[in-house]
Amino acid sequence: MQIGRHTLPRTALCASDANSIRIRGRELATELIGRQNFSGYFHFLVTGREPGPGAQRVLDATLVAIAEHGFVPSVQASRMTFAAAPECLQGAVAAGLLGCGSVILGAAEDAGQLLIAACARATELGSLDAAAEALVAQRFAAGMKLPGYGHPEHKVRDPRVAALFGVAREVGGDACDPRFMQAAEAVEAVIPRVYGKALRLNVSAAIPAVLLGIGFPSNALKGIPLLARTASLIAHLVEEMAMPSGFALAYQATRELQVQEGGRP
Amino acid sequence: MQIGRHTLPRTALCASDANSIRIRGRELATELIGRQNFSGYFHFLVTGREPGPGAQRVLDATLVAIAEHGFVPSVQASRMTFAAAPECLQGAVAAGLLGCGSVILGAAEDAGQLLIAACARATELGSLDAAAEALVAQRFAAGMKLPGYGHPEHKVRDPRVAALFGVAREVGGDACDPRFMQAAEAVEAVIPRVYGKALRLNVSAAIPAVLLGIGFPSNALKGIPLLARTASLIAHLVEEMAMPSGFALAYQATRELQVQEGGRP
Amino acid sequence: MQIGRHTLPRTALCASDANSIRIRGRELATELIGRQNFSGYFHFLVTGREPGPGAQRVLDATLVAIAEHGFVPSVQASRMTFAAAPECLQGAVAAGLLGCGSVILGAAEDAGQLLIAACARATELGSLDAAAEALVAQRFAAGMKLPGYGHPEHKVRDPRVAALFGVAREVGGDACDPRFMQAAEAVEAVIPRVYGKALRLNVSAAIPAVLLGIGFPSNALKGIPLLARTASLIAHLVEEMAMPSGFALAYQATRELQVQEGGRP
Amino acid sequence: MQIGRHTLPRTALCASDANSIRIRGRELATELIGRQNFSGYFHFLVTGREPGPGAQRVLDATLVAIAEHGFVPSVQASRMTFAAAPECLQGAVAAGLLGCGSVILGAAEDAGQLLIAACARATELGSLDAAAEALVAQRFAAGMKLPGYGHPEHKVRDPRVAALFGVAREVGGDACDPRFMQAAEAVEAVIPRVYGKALRLNVSAAIPAVLLGIGFPSNALKGIPLLARTASLIAHLVEEMAMPSGFALAYQATRELQVQEGGRP
């Protein structure tokens, strides 16, 4: 759309008047509150469909998997922000979310695109292995990284991967199409040969692998770490209220700061 | 803590090494993923305790109740931000959360403090009615508003209130102490006499009324609308990708803008 | 750098102790305060060099040119955020800045890259006209837009362009190399032939055209609209305190909202 | 204003059409670009008045004084955010601004209120000394801190205070009313007797002391550190592009993290 075009805003999400709030056609007060749990409602808001029990379990597993991993940079940024501006909890949460970008948590969406491409290519080439081989070789030749593979801390294999795949297999192929997990593992198997080192599947590829399996839309994948991290940021900030670390982190971080006076940028 | 003091950062939330991620002492991969749902995990992160089934239902009901209410100002801000900066989904979510402040969604925490004060005062004065009378009169005399009472759209009674109280009563007094709901209704009953108009309980008072009943910490109440709105903001932004309204909103908003040239601020 | 690598943080910007604050090797209290004006200091912080009088005028002209353009989407987002969270001025400014993204204000950096490419290509091809021809044709063939050309409101020519070029020409070629302005105009001249319509130079291309001329680093171009808009956002929020529009904007924006109940995203 | 009231948005800041952008009644392209410098334009946007040369110098001095102080918490938060989300410069700037809150940079506004109160009280009590005495004693009795006094690093006296007061005195009493500086020093003189320790004037009190002197509105004081820090954040992020510290800061910060497993919040 062009900026300033004379268009009317539209939505399918919510209509309300003095007596009623309808969400995607359902009455919030009588049909949703008390009937859906929060992650199921999130699925309903995003897709218009309530998840079945299997899809619900898979979705919960991904949100639990990615929510919390300690004092990562975005949590530190959030705690420092809260220490400096305690009047504004929402600002500290926002600061934390702003660090959920392409380098760290954004990988989930890129990895999802890779898995979708692998499955599409497999139809052409006859097998996931051939598709993985082709895609990985192509990315390597282009000097690209593989989103969702390798982890600075979990060198062997991110333990969350097996946990997520375990849940997805438990709920079964009817609830969660295993194709994207298979693609993820086909890619993982090819990497050592092409990249010359074993970059194992990490949580950022495992999440789209199972969520695409339940039909979760690929353009909403980036929302998964954002929603999950909000939960964890709130927990960190509640802890920060009682046991502050924000300024201590800033102090520790610069104990060995190298100042290059007169240096140019 | 003083800024810059030589203190060490501390946390009880997470410890990790190459093979393990432990959250509050539990192994994430084997004890949490696939076992807790997302809202239960949020409760566990914040409080260190898994909610029982009743508390879980109450918590889910509050998150569902407050997540979505259409094109409210913070949703509009988020959609406009995304239209202008689509490369940065996290920025649009952050912009939306920044509007969850004292005037709109912050009321949940203030209302929680009011209910806690009412219950404490009731012990002194012998009854919730007397406590409500005293507190409301005192606030009126001080020219203060009552957080969580009155709603610009839902003049009669916000339909979400009965829904939340219904869930809380269904799960029973053992899972959800009814005292705070009683306090909320005692305050509502007194208002017309003191303020001279009927300001009915709205969702922002109903949420602390039921969450304090399940033992949810009062200093985490502000996190409830933040987490809930994140879910809804993601749904709005996914809709915005396919059916853009951001610039249309900005255009419509200023069709009748009054420019006072030469006017002073 | 790898995440978590054992690296020491470094900076050339500031060193301080109990008695002294040194900025890029100068004493803040005695050598900078009262001697540099704010935009000159910004230039010094970013580049390590004080601008000469000509460069200073050009820099000021760009910041003045881009700071304010009325109730644009990011200003609306900021005012709505402030209306909802008046306890947190910094949050409302942050919300406004988050809308300075690729679609609207980010064009300055992309346009800068285009002008740099045009000048580099001109060396190869012998003339700016040939370089512009080649680049524009290449972008058109690739289905790309031309950042910094065309404006939804200012169809003829954004009046700020002539103003900026006028200042740059006034300060002269020694202070501001005219090459990038020439490149910008060479591109503008080619567009009608290639794109089939006259997309005139707008402020987002004029800014890099003059700033690259004074040697301002191309990777800092995106900072110009951010700094400029911060000034304007503060003015809007100070106006909002006395004469609120935030909720009125949100109300007006949705007077003709189209709700498609039951619709899918 | 009530949420949702049928009000029209209003502004005195900007009107534009296809050929013209008028800012507070002046033509941007012909009357402002090239004629005002950036800080003067900021003053004009906020107040509707161009500053005279003395007021201009004072304003510049405050912006230069507060812009940069090294790897303070908000700068660290911004650099970590950029390291994780380099696709979104505006997000990293926003994250840095979110840490300009009540504890650190918000003091300027509170200190301004204190100085205004001191001057008002002096009229009543006959002298600034008596007014300072009364105000400080009252705050001490109420267990309150004195905003703008004391600094964790600059124990003797923040060197920026003398620099700012020096500029203000240089421009003279006609351009900058010295009354608020006198109030600031009267308060400083009383503190040791009342609080039992010497809390010296810091930059956060010196800024309102000189800006109130030039007639800068007190409700815009909080904007001064926000605008100034935006300049410095951009410089830090440009440095971060070439010489990254964001992840190194996060790593250093947690080298001695104390994890209390099983601990409660």
Side-chain angles (χ1 to χ4, degrees), chain B residues 3-255:
Chain B
I3 300 176
R5 206 177 111 196
H6 301 206
T7 309
L8 295 177
R10 291 174 300 160
T11 185
L13 277 164
C14 178
S16 71
D17 59 34
N19 300 304
S20 158
I21 303 166
R22 285 179 307 286
I23 309 290
R24 292 194 176 281
R26 309 259 184 95
E27 201 61 54
L28 174 58
T30 55
E31 298 179 77
L32 298 169
I33 294 173
R35 309 215 170 187
Q36 285 192 358
N37 70 12
F38 179 52
S39 49
Y41 185 57
F42 168 62
H43 189 283
F44 175 65
L45 283 171
V46 171
T47 67
R49 289 174 284 109
E50 286 183 83
Q56 168 83 55
R57 277 200 68 207
V58 168
L59 175 60
D60 278 318
T62 62
L63 290 163
V64 169
I66 197 69
E68 167 62 9
H69 198 291
F71 275 34
V72 293
S74 58
V75 164
Q76 293 191 33
S78 178
R79 293 183 85 131
M80 288 180 193
T81 302
F82 187 72
E87 76 279 12
C88 186
L89 184 71
Q90 70 270 23
V93 174
L97 290 184
L98 288 169
C100 297
S102 58
V103 173
I104 300 195
L105 291 158
E109 193 187 18
D110 295 335
Q113 294 306 328
L114 180 71
L115 302 181
I116 290 169
C119 290
R121 200 72 181 273
T123 312
E124 256 176 70
L125 300 183
S127 84
L128 270 172
D129 291 340
E133 183 87 43
L135 272 174
V136 173
Q138 182 190 329
R139 299 226 166 196
F140 180 74
M144 293 166 73
K145 288 189 177 180
L146 285 174
Y149 291 84
H151 193 284
E153 187 172 10
H154 307 294
K155 299 284 182 202
V156 184
R157 209 204 209 190
D158 187 327
R160 296 167 289 185
V161 175
L164 286 174
F165 284 13
V167 171
R169 279 164 186 146
E170 231 174 276
V171 306
D174 287 349
C176 182
D177 182 343
R179 199 163 172 72
F180 301 96
M181 285 188 280
Q182 290 157 2
E185 297 195 315
V187 167
E188 188 184 38
V190 167
I191 291 173
R193 216 158 48 241
V194 179
Y195 277 76
K197 58 185 165 182
L199 296 167
R200 307 298 307 271
L201 258 169
N202 68 34
V203 72
S204 286
I207 285 175
V210 300
L211 285 179
L212 293 171
I214 65 164
F216 196 78
S218 63
N219 65 349
L221 285 172
K222 227 175 167 175
I224 297 293
L226 289 171
L227 179 58
R229 287 283 152 130
T230 303
S232 136
L233 286 166
I234 292 163
H236 274 283
L237 295 170
V238 171
E239 186 181 78
E240 179 76 19
M241 293 175 197
M243 188 166 87
S245 288
F247 290 137
L249 287 165
Y251 167 72
Q252 293 292 332
T254 52
R255 282 177 59 189

Side-chain angles (χ1 to χ4, degrees), chain A residues 5-78:
Chain A
R5 205 178 112 196
H6 302 208
T7 310
L8 294 177
R10 291 175 299 163
T11 185
L13 277 163
C14 178
S16 71
D17 58 35
N19 301 305
S20 157
I21 303 166
R22 285 178 308 285
I23 309 290
R24 292 193 176 281
R26 308 259 185 95
E27 201 60 52
L28 174 58
T30 56
E31 298 179 77
L32 299 169
I33 294 173
R35 309 215 170 185
Q36 284 192 0
N37 69 14
F38 179 53
S39 49
Y41 185 59
F42 168 63
H43 189 282
F44 174 66
L45 283 171
V46 171
T47 68
R49 288 173 286 108
E50 285 182 83
Q56 168 84 57
R57 277 200 68 207
V58 168
L59 175 60
D60 278 317
T62 63
L63 290 164
V64 169
I66 197 69
E68 167 63 9
H69 198 288
F71 275 34
V72 294
S74 58
V75 164
Q76 293 190 34
S78 178

Side-chain angles (χ1 to χ4, degrees), chain A residues 2-4 8-12 14-15 22 24-26 46-49 73 85 87-88 90-91 98 103-104 152 155 253-254 256-265, chain C residues 2-4 8-12 14-15 22 24-26 46-49 73 85 87-88 90-91 98 103-104 152 155 253-254 256-265:
Chain A
Q2 226 195 334
I3 299 176
L8 294 177
R10 291 175 299 163
T11 185
C14 178
R22 285 178 308 285
R24 292 193 176 281
R26 308 259 185 95
V46 171
T47 68
R49 288 173 286 108
E87 76 279 13
C88 185
Q90 70 270 26
L98 289 169
V103 174
I104 299 194
K155 298 285 179 200
T254 53
E256 302 183 55
L257 178 66
Q258 312 287 304
V259 181
Q260 311 179 333
E261 282 204 65
R264 286 295 158 82
Chain C
Q2 226 196 333
I3 300 176
L8 294 178
R10 291 175 300 162
T11 186
C14 178
R22 286 180 306 287
R24 291 194 176 283
R26 308 260 185 93
V46 170
T47 67
R49 289 175 284 109
E87 75 281 12
C88 185
Q90 71 269 24
L98 288 168
V103 173
I104 300 194
K155 299 284 181 201
T254 52
E256 302 183 57
L257 178 65
Q258 311 288 302
V259 182
Q260 312 179 332
E261 281 204 69
R264 284 297 156 81

Side-chain angles (χ1 to χ4, degrees), chain A residues 12 32 79 101 120-121 130 151 162 194 218 238 248-249 253:
Chain A
L32 299 169
R79 294 184 83 131
R121 201 72 180 273
H151 193 284
V194 179
S218 64
V238 170
L249 287 164

Side-chain angles (χ1 to χ4, degrees), chain C:
Chain C
M1 193 185 77
Q2 226 196 333
I3 300 176
R5 205 179 113 197
H6 302 207
T7 310
L8 294 178
R10 291 175 300 162
T11 186
L13 278 164
C14 178
S16 71
D17 58 35
N19 300 306
S20 158
I21 303 167
R22 286 180 306 287
I23 308 291
R24 291 194 176 283
R26 308 260 185 93
E27 201 61 52
L28 174 58
T30 56
E31 297 180 77
L32 299 169
I33 293 173
R35 309 215 170 185
Q36 286 191 359
N37 70 12
F38 179 53
S39 49
Y41 186 57
F42 169 62
H43 189 282
F44 174 66
L45 283 172
V46 170
T47 67
R49 289 175 284 109
E50 285 183 84
Q56 168 85 56
R57 276 199 69 207
V58 169
L59 176 59
D60 278 318
T62 62
L63 290 164
V64 170
I66 197 70
E68 168 61 10
H69 198 290
F71 276 32
V72 293
S74 58
V75 164
Q76 293 190 32
S78 178
R79 293 184 84 131
M80 288 181 193
T81 303
F82 187 72
E87 75 281 12
C88 185
L89 184 71
Q90 71 269 24
V93 174
L97 290 183
L98 288 168
C100 297
S102 58
V103 173
I104 300 194
L105 292 158
E109 193 187 17
D110 295 336
Q113 294 304 327
L114 180 71
L115 302 182
I116 290 169
C119 290
R121 201 71 180 275
T123 313
E124 257 176 70
L125 300 181
S127 82
L128 269 172
D129 291 341
E133 184 88 43
L135 272 174
V136 173
Q138 182 188 331
R139 299 228 167 194
F140 180 74
M144 291 166 74
K145 289 189 176 178
L146 284 175
Y149 292 85
H151 193 284
E153 188 173 10
H154 308 293
K155 299 284 181 201
V156 184
R157 208 203 210 191
D158 187 328
R160 294 167 290 184
V161 175
L164 286 173
F165 283 12
V167 171
R169 279 165 188 146
E170 231 174 274
V171 306
D174 287 348
C176 183
D177 182 343
R179 201 163 171 70
F180 301 96
M181 283 187 282
Q182 291 157 1
E185 296 194 316
V187 167
E188 189 184 39
V190 168
I191 292 173
R193 219 161 43 244
V194 180
Y195 277 77
K197 57 184 166 182
L199 296 167
R200 307 299 306 271
L201 258 170
N202 67 36
V203 71
S204 287
I207 285 174
V210 300
L211 285 180
L212 292 171
I214 63 163
F216 195 77
S218 63
N219 65 350
L221 285 172
K222 227 176 169 173
I224 297 293
L226 289 173
L227 179 58
R229 288 283 152 131
T230 304
S232 136
L233 286 166
I234 292 164
H236 274 284
L237 295 171
V238 171
E239 186 180 78
E240 178 76 18
M241 292 175 199
M243 188 166 86
S245 287
F247 290 136
L249 288 164
Y251 167 73
Q252 292 291 331
T254 52
R255 282 178 57 191
E256 302 183 57
L257 178 65
Q258 311 288 302
V259 182
Q260 312 179 332
E261 281 204 69
R264 284 297 156 81

Side-chain angles (χ1 to χ4, degrees), chain D residues 2 20 43 75 118 189 191 259 261:
Chain D
Q2 227 197 333
S20 156
H43 189 283
V75 164
I191 292 173
V259 182
E261 282 204 66

